Amino acid sequence: MAMSLPHQIGAISGTPIASENGGVPGETSQSAATVSASAVWKTPATNLRVSVAKPVDAERVSPLPSPPLSPVRGGAMRADLSVACQAYATETSLENVYSSSANAGNKGTGVPVFVMMPLDSVKMDNTVNRRKAMNASLQALKSAGVEGIMMDVWWGLVERDSPGEYNFGGYAELLEMAKKHGLKVQAVMSFHQCGGNVGDSCTIPLPKWVVEEMDKDPDLAYTDQWGRRNYEYVSLGCDKLPVLKGRTPIQCYSDFMRAFRDKFEHLLGDTIVEIQVGMGPAGELRYPSYPEQNGTWRFPGIGAFQCFDKYMISSLKAAAEANGKPEWGHTGPTDAGHYNNWPEDTNFFRKEGGGWNTPYGEFFLSWYSQMLLDHGENIVQSAKAIFENRGVKISVKVAGIHWHYGTRSHAPELTAGYYNTRFHDGYIPIAQMLARHGAIFNFTCIEMRDHEQPQDALCAPEKLVRQVALATQHADVPLAGENALPRYDEYAHEQILNAASLNIDGNSNDREMCAFTYLRMNVDLFQVDNWRRFVAFVKKMKEGKDVHRCWEQVEREAEHFVHVTQPLVQEAAVALMH
């Protein structure tokens, strides 16, 4: 007789697993066949270090002619199941990963893998979406040795109707589900709109009352030089002004985090191990300089500065006057092109004689990036105080803007608020700010290789990741990673493993990434070949760089694992499709 889903997991792990209604199917007494995972899977002790090839810092040529201008704006254990216990044999201690020392980093203990949950895991009515699928999927992830999950806690859902009224209903159920399956949770305080960015599969706007205030005062929205308003995130220009029903945006974010802390105090430090604080669009510390919504921006356009609302202009004016150049404070650059231009199409970003490399450009870019840094510091400082002594880490996500990285001006990074050019490091200040508050620097595009990207756009994700790794090493701040796009192939997995080892120029000082979050839990992940590769990837990440075995050996073990857990994974995949 075929085993039920909980029976399958129980057989794999050697531990009875509760069904959705909380009971343990068929439970009588502890079976003599219950097996300890560590008794059946011992990792061979080999020692072969993985290293990252040193990038070549060659002078890059100007890009090819750009495209035309575009101003438009998921009974007894059989002996052959013993291999499936492998996922449990090398559990990484969260004490090592999230050490009490804010600047410790991860010292050669392997890199735990978390998996992002679907963006719509909680529905607009504050209930769990596809409850059966979630339950089956979480059991499958745990069986594969995944450390935990990352979930977005949407401001637009929890505080949707009235200020100060919080409904965490769906999240309470989802967090209890994660706890039941022994999964850790990275909770993202998502103060941004879902919809309008890469990978957004649903639409969750900001709270209704926030949108109402933005409708009354459009300058609460980020604004470009053509007057286009962006409702993805409240403009940081009004961070400390009481523009949201008598509260400042910073107060709203702080009150939300405090409500989350009070609601889930009993899970902090045990199930909830990390709070990632949303800082801008897509939850990243940046300006919404490359919005995909309505076709405004397309890769690899340079984007546009977002500093033309009255609050940002007021700050710019004050900074210019303090600098003795009041004429610089009337407006942001108006010669920086359109969203889909390339650097050489513009006066401001061009290689020779571009405005970015003038005294005015240096003043403006310093102000623009400092505003973003101040925004990040204010929120991190608040989060640190709210969650202090609760056993959780605070993290901040920084975008991996790798296109036009090979140019001198790095235009897309500049419009996003990262003052990073060939002559100015924009990531050390961010790393130093996070280090001051013991926060984790979370970076994307870890899976990408330079040669996979459009060469005419001078994309260089590997060089960018290397620069960020050096910046975090310089500031002594832990580095975590994410993949920017869904990838299920071994080539991407190998790249992640290399990057996670933090071997820079063959020397990592025993550092590794403190965690890696895999994008994303969906039907594709549970396809047989993808699942086999993913299981092998998780195992290798957790082994760490100093316990290195060949892919073939790990793949063989994963093949067996996939075979014996096939009914479980199939159920998860089918459930996600409905």
Side-chain angles (χ1 to χ4, degrees):
M1 182 175 69
M3 292 190 290
S4 67
L5 181 62
H7 274 100
Q8 295 163 11
I9 291 291
I12 294 167
S13 65
T15 306
I17 299 294
S19 60
E20 275 195 79
N21 61 16
V24 179
E27 181 178 32
T28 51
S29 61
Q30 184 69 23
S31 170
T34 298
V35 178
S36 166
S38 58
V40 297
W41 185 2
K42 299 294 185 182
T43 304
T46 56
N47 185 10
L48 183 60
R49 185 177 293 268
V50 179
S51 63
V52 179
K54 180 178 179 180
V56 178
D57 295 321
E59 175 76 7
R60 306 301 299 263
V61 297
S62 298
L64 297 178
S66 65
L69 301 185
S70 179
V72 175
R73 356 218 187 300
M77 176 182 279
R78 304 194 312 269
D80 65 354
L81 283 175
S82 64
V83 175
C85 292
Q86 295 174 5
Y88 293 90
T90 55
E91 285 294 328
T92 304
S93 168
L94 261 290
E95 283 185 21
N96 292 333
V97 178
Y98 299 88
S99 64
S100 58
S101 170
N103 300 324
N106 190 16
K107 304 295 185 182
T109 58
V111 181
V113 175
F114 291 74
V115 175
M116 292 186 205
M117 298 291 283
L119 294 168
D120 61 351
S121 293
V122 173
K123 297 187 290 185
M124 295 300 286
D125 63 357
N126 295 97
T127 61
V128 173
N129 193 12
R130 295 170 299 189
R131 185 178 286 104
K132 182 179 179 181
M134 290 296 171
N135 196 56
S137 300
L138 294 183
Q139 293 187 37
L141 292 178
K142 180 61 178 178
S143 77
V146 166
E147 184 77 19
I149 58 175
M150 173 181 278
M151 64 172 68
D152 288 279
V153 183
W154 295 104
W155 187 25
L157 289 183
V158 174
E159 198 181 358
R160 180 177 58 212
D161 296 321
S162 301
E165 294 184 8
Y166 307 99
N167 185 340
F168 289 104
Y171 294 105
E173 185 178 355
L174 203 53
L175 285 165
E176 288 298 330
M177 198 180 290
K179 178 183 179 181
K180 179 182 69 174
H181 297 308
L183 291 165
K184 307 300 181 183
V185 174
Q186 299 167 320
V188 183
M189 304 291 100
S190 296
F191 299 121
H192 60 286
Q193 166 189 293
C194 180
N197 277 294
V198 176
D200 284 353
S201 56
C202 63
T203 299
I204 303 173
L206 298 182
K208 291 178 181 178
W209 55 274
V210 173
V211 174
E212 288 171 2
E213 294 302 301
M214 295 173 80
D215 286 341
K216 293 177 189 174
D217 181 2
D219 285 290
L220 298 180
Y222 281 115
T223 308
D224 63 22
Q225 71 178 88
W226 304 281
R228 186 188 291 103
R229 309 288 187 176
N230 188 307
Y231 276 48
E232 290 182 71
Y233 190 88
V234 179
S235 170
L236 62 81
C238 59
D239 267 355
K240 295 187 175 182
L241 300 174
V243 294
L244 297 179
K245 304 286 188 183
R247 289 187 297 168
T248 70
I250 296 291
Q251 286 175 328
C252 290
Y253 306 147
S254 299
D255 290 346
F256 183 94
M257 290 188 286
R258 197 173 293 109
F260 181 87
R261 178 201 67 190
D262 294 345
K263 175 70 175 178
F264 300 112
E265 183 93 43
H266 62 294
L267 297 176
L268 295 175
D270 179 19
T271 296
I272 302 170
V273 296
E274 181 181 320
I275 301 294
Q276 185 173 110
V277 189
M279 300 280 186
E284 296 167 334
L285 177 63
R286 65 173 176 87
Y287 294 97
S289 56
Y290 51 99
E292 284 198 309
Q293 201 166 28
N294 301 321
T296 301
W297 171 87
R298 295 187 304 276
F299 178 84
I302 59 175
F305 290 114
Q306 305 291 312
C307 59
F308 294 86
D309 63 79
K310 68 182 181 184
Y311 301 108
M312 291 292 285
I313 291 296
S314 176
S315 172
L316 178 61
K317 181 178 180 182
E321 290 175 352
N323 199 57
K325 294 284 187 179
E327 65 274 17
W328 288 352
H330 299 303
T331 182
T334 56
D335 60 348
H338 290 276
Y339 286 93
N340 294 309
N341 283 153
W342 287 30
E344 290 303 305
D345 296 332
T346 75
N347 288 326
F348 191 81
F349 294 121
R350 66 188 182 193
K351 182 167 71 172
E352 300 292 347
W356 63 276
N357 199 26
T358 64
Y360 165 74
E362 292 169 9
F363 158 77
F364 172 79
L365 294 171
S366 295
W367 166 81
Y368 189 67
S369 61
Q370 189 61 49
M371 289 288 285
L372 187 66
L373 279 169
D374 291 346
H375 170 73
E377 184 144 33
N378 288 330
I379 302 179
V380 168
Q381 198 166 18
S382 177
K384 180 183 177 183
I386 291 168
F387 292 102
E388 197 164 17
N389 301 320
R390 296 313 200 278
V392 299
K393 274 294 183 182
I394 306 298
S395 71
V396 173
K397 185 158 74 168
V398 177
I401 303 175
H402 58 84
W403 52 103
H404 301 295
Y405 184 87
T407 64
R408 293 182 185 178
S409 65
H410 294 231
E413 291 166 271
L414 298 184
T415 57
Y418 307 151
Y419 188 2
N420 193 55
T421 70
R422 182 160 299 182
F423 314 120
H424 190 281
D425 192 310
Y427 299 101
I428 286 179
I430 298 174
Q432 290 172 331
M433 180 270 287
L434 296 176
R436 283 196 294 273
H437 302 286
I440 294 170
F441 191 124
N442 186 288
F443 197 64
T444 61
C445 81
I446 302 300
E447 84 284 10
M448 295 181 176
R449 300 184 194 238
D450 292 353
H451 71 82
E452 294 175 331
Q453 310 304 317
Q455 295 304 296
D456 54 351
L458 299 183
C459 301
E462 291 176 271
K463 295 180 179 64
L464 174 58
V465 169
R466 178 179 181 272
Q467 182 185 354
V468 167
L470 286 168
T472 58
Q473 185 178 50
H474 174 85
D476 198 17
V477 63
L479 177 63
E482 296 179 4
N483 50 314
L485 300 172
R487 290 282 295 269
Y488 308 98
D489 56 290
E490 292 169 355
Y491 199 56
H493 292 165
E494 287 175 353
Q495 181 64 14
I496 295 168
L497 281 159
N498 287 340
S501 72
L502 296 183
N503 280 335
I504 305 167
D505 298 339
N507 178 20
S508 68
N509 297 322
D510 295 324
R511 292 176 79 237
E512 294 178 87
M513 284 187 179
C514 62
F516 181 82
T517 306
Y518 191 90
L519 183 150
R520 173 180 314 271
M521 190 186 87
N522 56 25
V523 175
D524 291 335
L525 176 61
F526 293 117
Q527 298 305 312
V528 175
D529 288 340
N530 292 343
W531 183 248
R532 171 178 50 80
R533 288 189 288 263
F534 176 73
V535 169
F537 164 72
V538 171
K539 173 59 182 167
K540 287 182 70 66
M541 288 285 279
K542 293 179 66 174
E543 284 180 343
K545 60 186 177 183
D546 291 326
V547 184
H548 184 74
R549 294 183 292 151
C550 67
W551 270 105
E552 289 73 14
Q553 183 178 357
V554 182
E555 285 271 5
R556 283 196 299 272
E557 294 169 355
E559 191 77 52
H560 197 174
F561 179 91
V562 170
H563 174 71
V564 298
T565 59
Q566 188 173 8
L568 160 66
V569 178
Q570 282 182 337
E571 182 160 351
V574 170
L576 279 169
M577 292 172 62
H578 295 87

